[in-house]
Amino acid sequence: MDEIIIRVNNLSKNFGSVQAVKNISFEIKQSEIFAFLGPNGAGKTTTIRMLITLLAPTSGDAAINGYSIIHHPAEVRKVIGYVPQMISVDGALTAQENLMLMAHLYDVPYRECNRRIKEMLAFLKLEKYARSLVRTLSGGMIRKLEVGQAMLHNPHLLFLDEPTTGLDPIAKRNIWEHLVELRNTFGTTIFFSTHNMEEAEEACDRVAIMNTGQIAVIGSVSELKEKTNKKDATLEDAFIFFTGNELQSNGNFREIKRTRQIHHRLG
Ligand SMILES: Nc1ncnc2c1ncn2[C@@H]1O[C@H](COP(=O)(O)OP(=O)(O)O)[C@@H](O)[C@H]1O
Ligand SMILES: [Mg+2]
């Protein structure tokens, strides 16, 4: 359980003069649930995109399951699943058809596709919707389906970029029940980004507070609270302590709206 599955070494990314990620280093153990907590623009998505080999770092490297993201990206891709921030299903296809498409993309052996899709729909409690057009499903069900898509090839690690932005509290809870079950059942390492304090507090083993491209602090929620030396400190207190900023709870309005617009477009 204590094996390091992600080892990040001095990773940086510049976009022209913008230093989106500044020389970050950290490690994640196998089967951890780990969160990047930070405001919009902190560099969360950029870091995730480098780790999943979609974006080349400006400098530094990371090893995933022992493989360098720069020198062995194909090996890295075999062991990861990715749920992007924006919608990644086709609304005009059924749930089952979306899963089949991804099974082929992820090179799931042909004769195993049907069984794995059936099992995944059962695991996510979406069997009833197998033949429903995805555009008729709720936002929470779509998110679950996206998690399912990213898990069909049995990856060791799942990366989720703001998995619950724009979802209602019940859908949010439901997604988390499934993610925790994935970890508990298969030992999947779960790496997610969020700007939601409660989500970070409730769901993860460790959190990295990220701000302006840097990791301000990393540790368990209780460690971060203790370090503030404040009695009954909340995670929000820790965030302010380590970044000097407040995390605006309504600051993500534009993103939620964008997510919903995309959802609406499916309909
Ligand atoms: N493709 C890009 N081109 C130029 N700038 C980018 C690009 N992607 C991200 N950035 C910039 O990098 C910074 C970090 O962005 P991002 O990683 O998306 O943050 P987060 O996911 O924490 O909101 C922001 O200043 C953003 O504007
Ligand atoms: Mg982002």
Side-chain angles (χ1 to χ4, degrees):
M1 274 294 253
D2 270 3
E3 211 171 305
I4 304 290
I5 193 155
I6 304 181
R7 203 183 290 274
V8 178
N9 282 319
N10 302 315
L11 199 62
S12 297
K13 181 69 191 180
N14 301 342
F15 294 107
S17 60
V18 177
Q19 290 183 284
V21 176
K22 300 174 191 162
N23 207 31
I24 61 171
S25 299
F26 60 95
E27 289 175 351
I28 297 181
K29 293 191 196 100
Q30 196 165 342
S31 303
E32 258 197 300
I33 298 185
F34 180 87
F36 257 175
L37 176 68
N40 286 335
K44 305 183 297 295
T45 297
T46 304
T47 306
I48 291 178
R49 296 189 74 216
M50 287 192 280
L51 295 181
I52 62 170
T53 77
L54 274 186
L55 193 65
T58 304
S59 60
D61 197 354
I64 297 207
N65 208 29
Y67 291 103
S68 155
I69 55 170
I70 297 170
H71 303 294
H72 302 285
E75 296 301 326
V76 171
R77 284 184 211 131
K78 277 185 204 158
V79 296
I80 62 170
Y82 169 51
V83 181
Q85 194 168 346
M86 294 306 162
I87 280 198
S88 59
V89 283
D90 187 335
L93 299 179
T94 66
Q96 208 167 15
E97 286 165 346
N98 268 285
L99 289 170
M100 188 57 86
L101 198 65
M102 282 297 161
H104 293 328
L105 261 182
Y106 277 123
D107 274 339
V108 173
Y110 198 73
R111 60 183 187 287
E112 281 189 36
C113 287
N114 283 330
R115 178 180 59 82
R116 286 212 209 162
I117 288 169
K118 212 170 152 210
E119 282 171 5
M120 188 52 72
L121 287 167
F123 178 77
L124 299 169
K125 301 195 171 64
L126 288 175
E127 304 108 307
K128 272 200 312 211
Y129 304 97
R131 288 162 204 270
S132 305
L133 288 182
V134 164
R135 65 169 175 242
T136 65
L137 304 183
S138 70
M141 288 181 200
I142 289 178
R143 220 44 176 150
K144 284 206 293 185
L145 189 62
E146 288 170 322
V147 171
Q149 283 187 160
M151 289 297 300
L152 282 171
H153 58 305
N154 299 329
H156 299 341
L157 296 110
L158 189 57
F159 289 89
L160 304 105
D161 199 357
E162 304 214 8
T164 59
T165 297
L167 295 185
D168 65 68
I170 295 170
K172 205 180 256 192
R173 171 149 312 159
N174 198 265
I175 289 285
W176 273 108
E177 278 170 10
H178 284 287
L179 291 174
V180 169
E181 203 181 331
L182 265 184
R183 191 274 297 269
N184 294 347
T185 313
F186 305 108
T188 314
T189 308
I190 293 179
F191 185 131
F192 73 104
S193 70
T194 183
H195 46 233
N196 184 308
M197 296 278 178
E198 286 150 33
E199 187 166 60
E201 179 137 27
E202 280 172 26
C204 33
D205 301 315
R206 285 192 311 142
V207 185
I209 293 182
M210 203 170 185
N211 196 28
T212 61
Q214 287 166 310
I215 292 178
V217 67
I218 187 165
S220 69
V221 171
S222 58
E223 281 166 2
L224 303 196
K225 287 177 178 176
E226 263 170 39
K227 284 185 183 166
T228 64
N229 286 324
K230 190 177 160 191
K231 195 170 170 284
D232 300 326
T234 61
L235 185 54
E236 189 152 6
D237 292 330
F239 191 88
I240 295 167
F241 182 84
F242 287 109
T243 66
N245 286 320
E246 286 190 39
L247 188 54
Q248 292 162 336
S249 56
N250 58 357
N252 60 333
F253 176 73
R254 229 178 39 208
E255 235 158 60
I256 291 176
K257 197 165 158 227
R258 207 164 57 192
T259 309
R260 291 217 176 125
Q261 277 168 344
I262 289 174
H263 187 185
H264 185 69
R265 262 214 323 266
L266 290 173

mmCIF file of all heavy atoms in Angstrom, residues 129-152:
data_model
loop_
_atom_site.group_PDB
_atom_site.id
_atom_site.type_symbol
_atom_site.label_atom_id
_atom_site.label_comp_id
_atom_site.label_asym_id
_atom_site.label_seq_id
_atom_site.Cartn_x
_atom_site.Cartn_y
_atom_site.Cartn_z
ATOM 1 N N TYR A 129 -30.103 2.407 -17.741
ATOM 2 C CA TYR A 129 -29.944 3.474 -18.736
ATOM 3 C C TYR A 129 -29.017 3.067 -19.877
ATOM 4 O O TYR A 129 -28.640 3.905 -20.692
ATOM 5 C CB TYR A 129 -29.425 4.737 -18.056
ATOM 6 C CG TYR A 129 -30.308 5.168 -16.927
ATOM 7 C CD1 TYR A 129 -30.012 4.815 -15.612
ATOM 8 C CD2 TYR A 129 -31.484 5.878 -17.179
ATOM 9 C CE1 TYR A 129 -30.848 5.171 -14.569
ATOM 10 C CE2 TYR A 129 -32.324 6.238 -16.142
ATOM 11 C CZ TYR A 129 -32.001 5.877 -14.843
ATOM 12 O OH TYR A 129 -32.836 6.227 -13.821
ATOM 13 N N ALA A 130 -28.669 1.779 -19.926
ATOM 14 C CA ALA A 130 -27.710 1.311 -20.935
ATOM 15 C C ALA A 130 -28.095 1.760 -22.343
ATOM 16 O O ALA A 130 -27.256 2.184 -23.127
ATOM 17 C CB ALA A 130 -27.599 -0.214 -20.871
ATOM 18 N N ARG A 131 -29.395 1.681 -22.641
ATOM 19 C CA ARG A 131 -29.838 2.011 -23.995
ATOM 20 C C ARG A 131 -30.450 3.404 -24.118
ATOM 21 O O ARG A 131 -31.095 3.733 -25.111
ATOM 22 C CB ARG A 131 -30.859 0.975 -24.475
ATOM 23 C CG ARG A 131 -30.215 -0.362 -24.775
ATOM 24 C CD ARG A 131 -31.259 -1.465 -24.807
ATOM 25 N NE ARG A 131 -30.650 -2.754 -24.536
ATOM 26 C CZ ARG A 131 -30.166 -3.546 -25.484
ATOM 27 N NH1 ARG A 131 -30.215 -3.196 -26.729
ATOM 28 N NH2 ARG A 131 -29.614 -4.694 -25.161
ATOM 29 N N SER A 132 -30.278 4.226 -23.073
ATOM 30 C CA SER A 132 -30.804 5.599 -23.142
ATOM 31 C C SER A 132 -29.789 6.492 -23.831
ATOM 32 O O SER A 132 -28.579 6.340 -23.637
ATOM 33 C CB SER A 132 -31.022 6.166 -21.736
ATOM 34 O OG SER A 132 -31.851 5.329 -20.985
ATOM 35 N N LEU A 133 -30.288 7.450 -24.609
ATOM 36 C CA LEU A 133 -29.386 8.440 -25.196
ATOM 37 C C LEU A 133 -28.806 9.263 -24.058
ATOM 38 O O LEU A 133 -29.528 9.662 -23.139
ATOM 39 C CB LEU A 133 -30.151 9.357 -26.155
ATOM 40 C CG LEU A 133 -30.593 8.735 -27.475
ATOM 41 C CD1 LEU A 133 -31.289 9.780 -28.336
ATOM 42 C CD2 LEU A 133 -29.383 8.152 -28.219
ATOM 43 N N VAL A 134 -27.510 9.513 -24.114
ATOM 44 C CA VAL A 134 -26.839 10.183 -23.003
ATOM 45 C C VAL A 134 -27.400 11.594 -22.772
ATOM 46 O O VAL A 134 -27.446 12.076 -21.648
ATOM 47 C CB VAL A 134 -25.315 10.180 -23.229
ATOM 48 C CG1 VAL A 134 -24.612 11.168 -22.332
ATOM 49 C CG2 VAL A 134 -24.789 8.771 -22.978
ATOM 50 N N ARG A 135 -27.881 12.226 -23.840
ATOM 51 C CA ARG A 135 -28.407 13.592 -23.652
ATOM 52 C C ARG A 135 -29.669 13.612 -22.786
ATOM 53 O O ARG A 135 -30.086 14.668 -22.337
ATOM 54 C CB ARG A 135 -28.638 14.281 -24.986
ATOM 55 C CG ARG A 135 -29.689 13.669 -25.842
ATOM 56 C CD ARG A 135 -30.025 14.590 -27.022
ATOM 57 N NE ARG A 135 -30.949 13.938 -27.918
ATOM 58 C CZ ARG A 135 -30.665 13.649 -29.171
ATOM 59 N NH1 ARG A 135 -29.502 13.966 -29.670
ATOM 60 N NH2 ARG A 135 -31.564 13.054 -29.917
ATOM 61 N N THR A 136 -30.271 12.441 -22.545
ATOM 62 C CA THR A 136 -31.467 12.407 -21.697
ATOM 63 C C THR A 136 -31.105 12.137 -20.228
ATOM 64 O O THR A 136 -31.971 12.136 -19.362
ATOM 65 C CB THR A 136 -32.454 11.306 -22.166
ATOM 66 O OG1 THR A 136 -31.813 10.029 -21.970
ATOM 67 C CG2 THR A 136 -32.848 11.461 -23.616
ATOM 68 N N LEU A 137 -29.827 11.901 -19.924
ATOM 69 C CA LEU A 137 -29.415 11.596 -18.543
ATOM 70 C C LEU A 137 -29.120 12.882 -17.770
ATOM 71 O O LEU A 137 -28.848 13.927 -18.353
ATOM 72 C CB LEU A 137 -28.158 10.713 -18.538
ATOM 73 C CG LEU A 137 -28.230 9.386 -19.304
ATOM 74 C CD1 LEU A 137 -26.923 8.614 -19.134
ATOM 75 C CD2 LEU A 137 -29.403 8.538 -18.844
ATOM 76 N N SER A 138 -29.136 12.773 -16.424
ATOM 77 C CA SER A 138 -28.822 13.928 -15.586
ATOM 78 C C SER A 138 -27.311 14.174 -15.571
ATOM 79 O O SER A 138 -26.523 13.294 -15.940
ATOM 80 C CB SER A 138 -29.289 13.675 -14.156
ATOM 81 O OG SER A 138 -28.477 12.685 -13.567
ATOM 82 N N GLY A 139 -26.920 15.358 -15.089
ATOM 83 C CA GLY A 139 -25.496 15.696 -15.012
ATOM 84 C C GLY A 139 -24.714 14.695 -14.176
ATOM 85 O O GLY A 139 -23.590 14.321 -14.524
ATOM 86 N N GLY A 140 -25.323 14.236 -13.074
ATOM 87 C CA GLY A 140 -24.647 13.274 -12.196
ATOM 88 C C GLY A 140 -24.447 11.941 -12.886
ATOM 89 O O GLY A 140 -23.392 11.313 -12.764
ATOM 90 N N MET A 141 -25.463 11.500 -13.617
ATOM 91 C CA MET A 141 -25.343 10.210 -14.326
ATOM 92 C C MET A 141 -24.287 10.307 -15.418
ATOM 93 O O MET A 141 -23.515 9.365 -15.638
ATOM 94 C CB MET A 141 -26.675 9.834 -14.979
ATOM 95 C CG MET A 141 -27.744 9.417 -14.010
ATOM 96 S SD MET A 141 -29.187 8.997 -15.005
ATOM 97 C CE MET A 141 -30.447 9.110 -13.805
ATOM 98 N N ILE A 142 -24.233 11.456 -16.084
ATOM 99 C CA ILE A 142 -23.240 11.638 -17.150
ATOM 100 C C ILE A 142 -21.837 11.567 -16.556
ATOM 101 O O ILE A 142 -20.945 10.913 -17.096
ATOM 102 C CB ILE A 142 -23.470 12.974 -17.892
ATOM 103 C CG1 ILE A 142 -24.736 12.870 -18.735
ATOM 104 C CG2 ILE A 142 -22.271 13.345 -18.759
ATOM 105 C CD1 ILE A 142 -25.122 14.130 -19.478
ATOM 106 N N ARG A 143 -21.657 12.205 -15.404
ATOM 107 C CA ARG A 143 -20.341 12.182 -14.763
ATOM 108 C C ARG A 143 -19.957 10.752 -14.399
ATOM 109 O O ARG A 143 -18.814 10.336 -14.559
ATOM 110 C CB ARG A 143 -20.388 13.077 -13.519
ATOM 111 C CG ARG A 143 -19.175 13.912 -13.265
ATOM 112 C CD ARG A 143 -18.659 14.558 -14.503
ATOM 113 N NE ARG A 143 -17.532 15.445 -14.223
ATOM 114 C CZ ARG A 143 -16.558 15.693 -15.065
ATOM 115 N NH1 ARG A 143 -16.534 15.110 -16.248
ATOM 116 N NH2 ARG A 143 -15.603 16.531 -14.771
ATOM 117 N N LYS A 144 -20.939 9.990 -13.885
ATOM 118 C CA LYS A 144 -20.650 8.597 -13.532
ATOM 119 C C LYS A 144 -20.223 7.813 -14.778
ATOM 120 O O LYS A 144 -19.296 7.012 -14.739
ATOM 121 C CB LYS A 144 -21.884 7.933 -12.903
ATOM 122 C CG LYS A 144 -22.121 8.367 -11.476
ATOM 123 C CD LYS A 144 -22.869 7.325 -10.670
ATOM 124 C CE LYS A 144 -24.288 7.139 -11.134
ATOM 125 N NZ LYS A 144 -25.025 6.210 -10.258
ATOM 126 N N LEU A 145 -20.926 8.078 -15.858
ATOM 127 C CA LEU A 145 -20.606 7.387 -17.106
ATOM 128 C C LEU A 145 -19.185 7.739 -17.559
ATOM 129 O O LEU A 145 -18.430 6.875 -18.030
ATOM 130 C CB LEU A 145 -21.629 7.790 -18.173
ATOM 131 C CG LEU A 145 -21.601 7.026 -19.476
ATOM 132 C CD1 LEU A 145 -21.900 5.553 -19.255
ATOM 133 C CD2 LEU A 145 -22.614 7.616 -20.465
ATOM 134 N N GLU A 146 -18.805 8.996 -17.359
ATOM 135 C CA GLU A 146 -17.458 9.423 -17.735
ATOM 136 C C GLU A 146 -16.403 8.713 -16.876
ATOM 137 O O GLU A 146 -15.334 8.356 -17.364
ATOM 138 C CB GLU A 146 -17.319 10.948 -17.600
ATOM 139 C CG GLU A 146 -18.095 11.654 -18.693
ATOM 140 C CD GLU A 146 -18.197 13.154 -18.473
ATOM 141 O OE1 GLU A 146 -18.355 13.598 -17.321
ATOM 142 O OE2 GLU A 146 -18.135 13.887 -19.459
ATOM 143 N N VAL A 147 -16.726 8.529 -15.599
ATOM 144 C CA VAL A 147 -15.815 7.776 -14.732
ATOM 145 C C VAL A 147 -15.715 6.345 -15.257
ATOM 146 O O VAL A 147 -14.630 5.775 -15.372
ATOM 147 C CB VAL A 147 -16.296 7.790 -13.256
ATOM 148 C CG1 VAL A 147 -15.466 6.839 -12.403
ATOM 149 C CG2 VAL A 147 -16.243 9.202 -12.678
ATOM 150 N N GLY A 148 -16.859 5.776 -15.616
ATOM 151 C CA GLY A 148 -16.889 4.411 -16.153
ATOM 152 C C GLY A 148 -16.040 4.286 -17.412
ATOM 153 O O GLY A 148 -15.255 3.342 -17.559
ATOM 154 N N GLN A 149 -16.173 5.270 -18.294
ATOM 155 C CA GLN A 149 -15.397 5.269 -19.546
ATOM 156 C C GLN A 149 -13.908 5.210 -19.263
ATOM 157 O O GLN A 149 -13.155 4.515 -19.935
ATOM 158 C CB GLN A 149 -15.639 6.587 -20.307
ATOM 159 C CG GLN A 149 -16.939 6.675 -21.021
ATOM 160 C CD GLN A 149 -17.024 7.929 -21.880
ATOM 161 O OE1 GLN A 149 -17.823 7.960 -22.775
ATOM 162 N NE2 GLN A 149 -16.251 8.949 -21.631
ATOM 163 N N ALA A 150 -13.503 5.981 -18.252
ATOM 164 C CA ALA A 150 -12.072 6.094 -17.955
ATOM 165 C C ALA A 150 -11.545 4.875 -17.196
ATOM 166 O O ALA A 150 -10.343 4.751 -16.995
ATOM 167 C CB ALA A 150 -11.817 7.361 -17.150
ATOM 168 N N MET A 151 -12.452 3.984 -16.760
ATOM 169 C CA MET A 151 -12.045 2.829 -15.951
ATOM 170 C C MET A 151 -12.110 1.505 -16.701
ATOM 171 O O MET A 151 -11.766 0.458 -16.153
ATOM 172 C CB MET A 151 -12.952 2.711 -14.720
ATOM 173 C CG MET A 151 -12.752 3.776 -13.668
ATOM 174 S SD MET A 151 -11.121 3.742 -12.922
ATOM 175 C CE MET A 151 -11.095 2.100 -12.227
ATOM 176 N N LEU A 152 -12.556 1.532 -17.948
ATOM 177 C CA LEU A 152 -12.813 0.276 -18.670
ATOM 178 C C LEU A 152 -11.563 -0.581 -18.866
ATOM 179 O O LEU A 152 -11.645 -1.793 -18.963
ATOM 180 C CB LEU A 152 -13.430 0.578 -20.038
ATOM 181 C CG LEU A 152 -14.911 0.929 -20.019
ATOM 182 C CD1 LEU A 152 -15.317 1.411 -21.396
ATOM 183 C CD2 LEU A 152 -15.754 -0.263 -19.587
#
